[in-house]
Amino acid sequence: MSLKIAVMPGDGIGVEIIAEAVKVLEHYKSNGRLDAELTNAPVGGAGYDAAGKPLPDETLALAKASDAILFGAIGGPEYDGLARELRPEKGLLGLRSELELFANLRPAILYPQLADASSLKPEVVSGLDIMIVRELTGGIYFGEPRGIETDASGERKGFNTLVYKESEIDRISRVAFDIAMKRGKRLCSVDKANVLEVSELWREVVVKASADYPEVELSHMYVDNAAMQLVKWPKQFDVMVTKNMFGDILSDCAAMLTGSIGMLPSASLDANSKGMYEPIHGSAPDIAGKGIANPLATILSVAMMLRYSLDHAELADEIDAAVGRVLDKGLRTPDIMANGCKEVGTVEMGEAVLAEL
Ligand code: NAD
């Protein structure tokens, strides 16, 4: 039976970059190496324009019926004045929660050809390849009780609750162990077990799960040290797993080590490895419609989709390698442009990857 892929370009440059990524999928369809059915659906501002809400019912139904979702980006100044529940972001958050996408995979990869784009020394980051696995639907961002209250003396206090059930910790750690098995077989669990009881439990559950993954070398690190080590010597890490808030911060830090927002893909997975795949960047209204957006983060998101949801790791490897060769040839969109390279637009970059494939 054909695999079902939902394609959601969204807004701004989302439309331009998704067009290039879809060409890669169509390429594999046409040469018979991928049996898949692609269906488009509006989301975000485009969803509001089409159906009056950022996550139209038909879009959600399609997402639920698909094996994987390729997502562009949402948002734009024309939607900023809408009521909160109609804003484009609600489309993205709605998909994450409706599909229970609890595992956020954020690779920080720095192709050696782009080492100069980082704010760190080339020898520290060149060839960097880390995968951060962030728990996405629990922890302090969702814990109850939460709020702002005024006490008897009239002073206000704000509070949130950091809570994790054993089952939540177990399922995210197993995702991370599975990924480590497909990579360098090293997993670092990041917590704050010296201060927080939740982290004590986190560590205990991760250690228990590790019994099922004897080949993976498990280590633990406090989050403050992890932040320091990421900047000091990031290449020491293979896979990192951590709770929602720590992952939010560490994954942005790791992403920026690479210095190129237009290059980084991401995935959000459910318990059955169904996933939503998207570049980490937004809809970039400042360059939308100019044909200069970098499509590589989205093309690399297709590679992640093939690897983690569609069981086609061999195609994923080909795409990753093709991107490397395009960079070797000196082709660059303006966001990663460097001396001596040739500047190209979105379509030219997409075509160059196709030519390599
Ligand atoms: P952004 O990521 O859209 O853009 C930040 C900067 O990076 C801009 O200068 C942009 O031109 C550049 N950039 C981003 N992607 C690029 C690419 N592929 N190629 C070249 N340059 C690229 O973030 P922002 O400007 O803060 O937000 C713009 C809109 O996107 C807002 O409406 C925001 O809410 C939304 N947003 C959406 C997502 C998402 O869909 N997941 C994520 C972040 C922001």
Side-chain angles (χ1 to χ4, degrees), residues 137-210:
T137 53
I140 197 163
Y141 292 172
F142 294 92
E144 298 281 349
R146 61 193 295 157
I148 301 174
E149 278 176 1
T150 307
D151 68 16
S153 71
E155 188 180 16
R156 293 192 305 156
K157 68 171 182 193
F159 53 95
N160 290 88
T161 304
L162 173 51
V163 55
Y164 270 109
K165 290 191 282 195
E166 283 182 287
S167 55
E168 290 175 298
I169 304 169
D170 183 66
R171 67 178 185 176
I172 190 73
S173 34
R174 285 177 190 277
V175 169
F177 278 114
D178 285 337
I179 288 169
M181 283 298 290
K182 291 182 184 171
R183 295 175 39 110
K185 297 198 170 81
R186 287 184 298 119
L187 175 63
C188 178
S189 170
V190 177
D191 62 35
K192 192 71 185 171
N194 50 343
V195 180
L196 301 173
E197 285 79 359
V198 185
S199 278
E200 242 178 84
L201 181 69
W202 177 280
R203 202 175 268 217
E204 205 181 286
V205 175
V206 173
V207 169
K208 203 168 152 200
S210 73

Side-chain angles (χ1 to χ4, degrees), residues 13 17 71-77 80 89 92 96 261-262 278-287 292-295 333 335:
I13 62 166
I17 54 179
F71 189 97
I74 44 90
D80 285 350
E89 295 76 17
L92 180 58
R96 283 181 185 160
I261 195 170
E278 54 178 320
I280 69 159
H281 60 73
S283 57
D286 54 333
I287 58 167
I292 57 170
N294 187 344
T333 44
D335 57 307

Side-chain angles (χ1 to χ4, degrees), residues 259-265 279-281 293-298 300 333 335-336:
S260 45
I261 195 170
M263 292 294 302
L264 295 175
I280 69 159
H281 60 73
N294 187 344
L296 294 179
T298 317
L300 292 169
T333 44
D335 57 307
I336 51 172

Side-chain angles (χ1 to χ4, degrees), residues 151-330:
D151 68 16
S153 71
E155 188 180 16
R156 293 192 305 156
K157 68 171 182 193
F159 53 95
N160 290 88
T161 304
L162 173 51
V163 55
Y164 270 109
K165 290 191 282 195
E166 283 182 287
S167 55
E168 290 175 298
I169 304 169
D170 183 66
R171 67 178 185 176
I172 190 73
S173 34
R174 285 177 190 277
V175 169
F177 278 114
D178 285 337
I179 288 169
M181 283 298 290
K182 291 182 184 171
R183 295 175 39 110
K185 297 198 170 81
R186 287 184 298 119
L187 175 63
C188 178
S189 170
V190 177
D191 62 35
K192 192 71 185 171
N194 50 343
V195 180
L196 301 173
E197 285 79 359
V198 185
S199 278
E200 242 178 84
L201 181 69
W202 177 280
R203 202 175 268 217
E204 205 181 286
V205 175
V206 173
V207 169
K208 203 168 152 200
S210 73
D212 292 334
Y213 299 88
E215 285 179 53
V216 178
E217 180 191 316
L218 173 68
S219 61
H220 305 272
M221 197 177 271
Y222 297 138
V223 63
D224 42 347
N225 187 27
M228 195 173 80
Q229 296 299 331
L230 264 180
V231 179
K232 189 178 166 199
W233 189 241
K235 286 193 266 189
Q236 69 185 275
F237 298 109
D238 177 21
V239 181
M240 301 170 92
V241 62
T242 191
K243 359 180 130 73
N244 202 341
M245 183 164 68
F246 295 165
D248 189 4
I249 299 164
L250 293 180
S251 63
D252 265 26
C253 172
M256 283 306 104
L257 295 177
T258 73
S260 45
I261 195 170
M263 292 294 302
L264 295 175
S266 78
S268 305
L269 305 180
D270 76 359
N272 303 312
S273 294
K274 168 174 170 161
M276 185 156 83
Y277 296 82
E278 54 178 320
I280 69 159
H281 60 73
S283 57
D286 54 333
I287 58 167
K290 294 186 179 161
I292 57 170
N294 187 344
L296 294 179
T298 317
I299 289 172
L300 292 169
S301 299
V302 167
M304 283 189 87
M305 172 191 283
L306 290 163
R307 176 170 285 120
Y308 294 112
S309 285
L310 305 183
D311 215 12
H312 275 296
E314 76 290 359
L315 304 184
D317 288 343
E318 283 181 18
I319 296 170
D320 289 346
V323 168
R325 287 197 299 277
V326 167
L327 296 174
D328 278 339
K329 289 187 169 162

